[in-house]
Amino acid sequence: MLLGLFKIICFRMNENIYKIPDRAEWVDLYANKLYAYAFSRLRDHAAAEDMVQDTFLVALEKTGTFRGESTFETWLIAILRRKIVDHFRKIAKECSTSLNELNEMTESSFFTEKGKWLSEERPAHWSSSPMNELEQKELRRIISDCQSKLKTLQQTIFTLKYTEDISSEDICKELEISASNYWVILHRVRLQMRKCIEKNWFVK
Amino acid sequence: MMKKLMLSCEQATYLSALQEERKLSISEQMRLRIHLWMCVFCRRFVRQMNEVTSHTHEMVDVGQRALLSAESKERMKKKLYI
């Protein structure tokens, strides 16, 4: 009887080791999931598709490094996530003018010299009544629009922080910017996003 | 003395971003709380930004429902299985 129990335990343990499905099935099994993951972050169909393709290619190459500690799907998503961060980093590097951008950003001001809100920049009251579904949808469209209007570096930081939930420390490392510049940019982005949304939604 | 104690709106909104990530020092916390208590605009700013960022997180979930077309899948298969 003990032996039987032992066999059951062994069987259970074997179950925990994740296997790689036949590669002919990868696209059917995982493409949609990966695509949705990429699209929700990149908001660009072509780019998302490319990235899924690349993920499969990397997976083909590195099949040997899959240890079966997590599901194959989790492993694929980890590769994809890495690719997305790389993509953002490349964009941030491409705007090598990042510091110019920083100077430019601080030019148009939200505050007086003493640090009080300029009268035209003061946050207005947003309706406090709960939004219906249509309004929520509209608000999200506006957030998306405002996000796409941000400058590249700002947009990247906003996306990494508020959709990817990557810590500021990691964002600084990935984008190779100093912590103090990062906080200045993030502060700026928040001010701009709020203003943009207000302009397009709440005050008509 | 009072000046040192008081945050400007610029500083208060800056701290509100910082606060999302790290614990503020006790003096920062106190000063931010006092400022928000007194300043309706900064209070709105913090509340509205919280609302916006809660949406950005949900927006990801909505995007998660995007589907890949059958043609795209075929294209991928061709590239992968040659």
Side-chain angles (χ1 to χ4, degrees), chain B residues 1-7 31 34 38:
Chain B
M1 173 67 188
M2 270 310 266
K3 275 214 165 143
K4 272 201 170 164
L5 262 173
M6 303 296 282
L7 289 176
R31 291 193 296 169
I34 292 169
M38 295 189 312

Side-chain angles (χ1 to χ4, degrees), chain A residues 23 36 140 162 168 190 194, chain B residues 20-21 48 58 64 81:
Chain A
R23 49 179 70 179
R140 286 176 190 177
Y162 291 115
S168 303
R190 286 161 55 90
R194 200 212 60 83
Chain B
E20 290 178 351
E21 196 115 355
Q48 292 166 357
E58 283 169 46
Q64 297 272 28
Y81 305 132

Side-chain angles (χ1 to χ4, degrees), chain A residues 23-24 26-28 32 35-37 39-40 43 49 52-53 56 111 114-115 117 122-126 131 139-140 143 161-163 165 167-168 183 187 190-191 194 197, chain B residues 8-10 13-14 16-18 20-21 39 41-42 44-45 48-49 51-53 55-60 62-68 72-73 75-77 79-81:
Chain A
R23 49 179 70 179
W26 286 6
V27 172
D28 287 325
N32 265 337
Y35 176 74
Y37 186 94
F39 177 74
S40 63
R43 306 251 148 216
E49 197 183 318
V52 175
Q53 176 91 61
F56 282 133
F111 301 99
K114 284 184 176 166
W117 290 97
R122 288 175 185 156
H125 175 68
W126 291 3
M131 280 183 278
L139 174 60
R140 286 176 190 177
I143 292 175
K161 173 148 172 70
Y162 291 115
T163 65
D165 271 331
S167 76
S168 303
W183 288 110
H187 183 209
R190 286 161 55 90
L191 289 162
R194 200 212 60 83
I197 294 162
Chain B
S8 69
C9 299
E10 192 168 11
T13 48
Y14 181 85
S16 76
L18 219 59
E20 290 178 351
E21 196 115 355
C39 176
F41 303 117
C42 289
R44 280 179 192 163
F45 178 85
Q48 292 166 357
M49 270 324 284
E51 190 176 339
V52 169
T53 53
H55 278 286
T56 58
H57 284 119
E58 283 169 46
M59 280 157 66
V60 171
V62 174
Q64 297 272 28
R65 281 179 230 143
L67 287 178
L68 201 55
S72 303
K73 277 193 193 169
R75 253 202 313 275
M76 261 181 213
K77 281 182 188 168
K79 277 191 194 162
L80 275 179
Y81 305 132

Side-chain angles (χ1 to χ4, degrees), chain A residues 29-195:
Chain A
L29 284 174
Y30 305 114
N32 265 337
K33 190 88 187 246
L34 293 177
Y35 176 74
Y37 186 94
F39 177 74
S40 63
R41 282 145 178 100
L42 301 167
R43 306 251 148 216
D44 176 338
H45 292 286
E49 197 183 318
D50 283 348
M51 224 160 262
V52 175
Q53 176 91 61
D54 285 354
T55 303
F56 282 133
L57 289 174
V58 171
L60 271 180
E61 251 172 62
K62 298 193 171 168
T63 334
T65 62
F66 178 72
R67 289 167 188 278
E69 286 154 352
S70 59
T71 61
F72 191 60
E73 182 179 292
T74 310
W75 188 70
L76 287 175
I77 285 183
I79 297 175
L80 177 62
R81 188 181 153 92
R82 188 64 240 164
K83 289 209 151 291
I84 292 173
V85 174
D86 280 347
H87 167 85
F88 282 128
R89 177 168 51 189
K90 217 164 103 201
I91 288 176
K93 279 233 179 94
E94 271 165 17
C95 49
S96 53
T97 47
S98 54
L99 284 178
N100 291 340
E101 212 179 285
L102 188 68
N103 290 334
E104 228 174 89
M105 274 187 278
T106 33
E107 260 168 31
S108 73
S109 187
F110 287 81
F111 301 99
T112 65
E113 261 172 52
K114 284 184 176 166
K116 286 193 176 151
W117 290 97
L118 285 168
S119 55
E120 66 273 20
E121 302 291 352
R122 288 175 185 156
H125 175 68
W126 291 3
S127 154
S128 47
S129 58
M131 280 183 278
N132 64 36
E133 210 171 306
L134 205 72
E135 287 170 321
Q136 283 204 7
K137 226 173 158 183
E138 177 67 359
L139 174 60
R140 286 176 190 177
R141 191 188 59 74
I142 290 168
I143 292 175
S144 228
D145 268 8
C146 289
Q147 213 172 329
S148 62
K149 278 185 204 144
L150 292 171
K151 294 205 178 107
T152 327
L153 184 61
Q154 295 181 307
Q155 200 182 44
T156 306
I157 288 180
F158 188 87
T159 310
L160 289 179
K161 173 148 172 70
Y162 291 115
T163 65
E164 281 304 283
D165 271 331
I166 295 179
S167 76
S168 303
E169 207 181 311
D170 288 338
I171 296 176
C172 291
K173 247 187 261 159
E174 293 289 350
L175 304 181
E176 292 172 14
I177 51 175
S178 72
S180 59
N181 277 352
Y182 166 84
W183 288 110
V184 171
I185 297 170
L186 187 69
H187 183 209
R188 198 75 202 163
V189 171
R190 286 161 55 90
L191 289 162
Q192 272 177 1
M193 280 296 286
R194 200 212 60 83
K195 181 184 176 182

